Amino acid sequence: MHTMTRARSQIIDREEGGYYHLLSRCVRRSMLCGADPVTGRDLAHRREWIEDLALDLTQLFTVHVIAYAVMSNHYHITVNYRPQERLALSDEEVARRWRVLYRSPGNDDAGTVNSLQEPGRIEVLRDRLGDLSWYMRHLNETIARRANLEDDCTGRFWQGRFKAKGLHTSRAVWACMAYDDLNPERARISDQQATSYFTSLQRRLEEASEMPERFDQPMAPLTRRAGMVVSAPKPAPRLELTLREYCAHVDWIALATASANTQTDRIPAPEGDAASWLALMKSFDRRTRTPALPRSARAIDLNGRHLTGRDITKGRHP
């Protein structure tokens, strides 16, 4: 039975916030962030654009990124959205953050409130900095403009607005994080977590290789500092899981997904039965799948030949 899509305003709680899984996909399932099978162009550098900007924006918006995977034609982000943090921002801090977002050349008064003296203007901007949709809007619009400039073209880059799903239990949060981090493995890009490209777990393992104490500390949201992806400093909210526990959890899910014999395997963390964990993982997979393209929408290669669904999705990351 077909179910109607719920409005984003009914999914995202703009007052209390919570954990959310976010997804954006490129138009027509094109490889606009990877190796284009039609033109042969390698656009993989755009994945770094998305990763860097998604983390940089967490220093301006009340959004904390806890997991992500940037693939060739889409990305997943799991966030802890905390809109109430906007209320603790001073007027000067609101003005500074907004000026960072929309700084114009030659503007040297980014930290002042004097340039934003319209009645009620600061409160409008405060609400925007505490809005998850404004975070995603700035992320996607910035990437789209940059890609279109590079391609010397206009038009849509993303396939509509982003998708969002609320995560209302700790089990849902941990399953969603693992779903994000295992995307490259499901796409057969990587057989090992440490060599997965553009995932939060890869970055956490890179940080832990330099700071082994991270393995036994509660996992923090991720941010960028000095060009590196690192754990956000306190007072950023922490998860109940340590990185060591999370790695064991992801390893178990990867093995259990590939094997029919799950009942004899002990789930390392968090506790629960195997069937329910795998059902949670499958629920994310069903939600993020894209239906097959109709024949009229199929791409055409450089020789004018209609590409089949197999041609279009060859190398595409699920």
Side-chain angles (χ1 to χ4, degrees), residues 60-134:
L60 304 175
F61 290 87
T62 62
V63 176
H64 303 271
V65 172
I66 58 174
Y68 62 85
V70 186
M71 311 299 284
S72 290
N73 71 343
H74 70 282
Y75 69 82
H76 303 264
I77 305 181
T78 301
V79 301
N80 182 0
Y81 169 45
R82 299 166 69 90
Q84 292 297 320
E85 290 180 355
R86 76 189 192 281
L87 303 177
L89 301 177
S90 67
D91 290 354
E92 290 79 4
E93 179 63 11
V94 169
R96 184 195 71 80
R97 293 188 182 197
W98 195 255
R99 288 294 186 179
V100 170
L101 282 173
Y102 295 101
R103 189 190 302 271
S104 59
N107 179 18
D108 58 0
D109 64 343
T112 69
V113 185
N114 295 331
S115 58
L116 297 168
Q117 286 298 305
E118 298 177 18
R121 178 64 172 166
I122 289 295
E123 292 311 309
V124 170
L125 300 184
R126 185 190 311 279
D127 286 343
R128 290 178 180 178
L129 294 174
D131 192 323
L132 182 57
S133 289
W134 270 87

Side-chain angles (χ1 to χ4, degrees), residues 16-48:
E16 298 301 324
Y19 288 90
Y20 293 90
H21 181 227
L22 312 172
L23 167 68
S24 283
R25 190 181 299 276
C26 294
V27 292
R28 298 179 300 279
R29 298 190 290 183
S30 300
M31 296 298 183
L32 299 183
C33 302
D36 192 319
V38 177
T39 66
R41 292 179 62 198
D42 185 359
L43 305 172
H45 58 281
R46 293 177 180 175
R47 296 165 67 191
E48 187 173 358

Side-chain angles (χ1 to χ4, degrees), residues 205-265:
L205 292 175
E206 289 173 350
E207 182 188 28
S209 69
E210 301 293 330
M211 303 177 65
E213 62 271 20
R214 292 292 191 216
F215 278 108
D216 297 303
Q217 295 174 346
M219 294 170 64
L222 293 172
T223 188
R224 282 212 317 152
R225 187 169 61 241
M228 302 293 292
V229 178
V230 296
S231 298
K234 294 181 178 180
R238 265 46 178 174
L239 296 169
E240 298 176 20
L241 229 55
T242 67
L243 179 56
R244 191 181 305 279
E245 291 171 333
Y246 178 65
C247 286
H249 178 58
V250 171
D251 284 340
W252 178 87
I253 287 180
L255 290 172
T257 302
S259 171
N261 182 19
T262 60
Q263 299 302 321
T264 58
D265 296 326

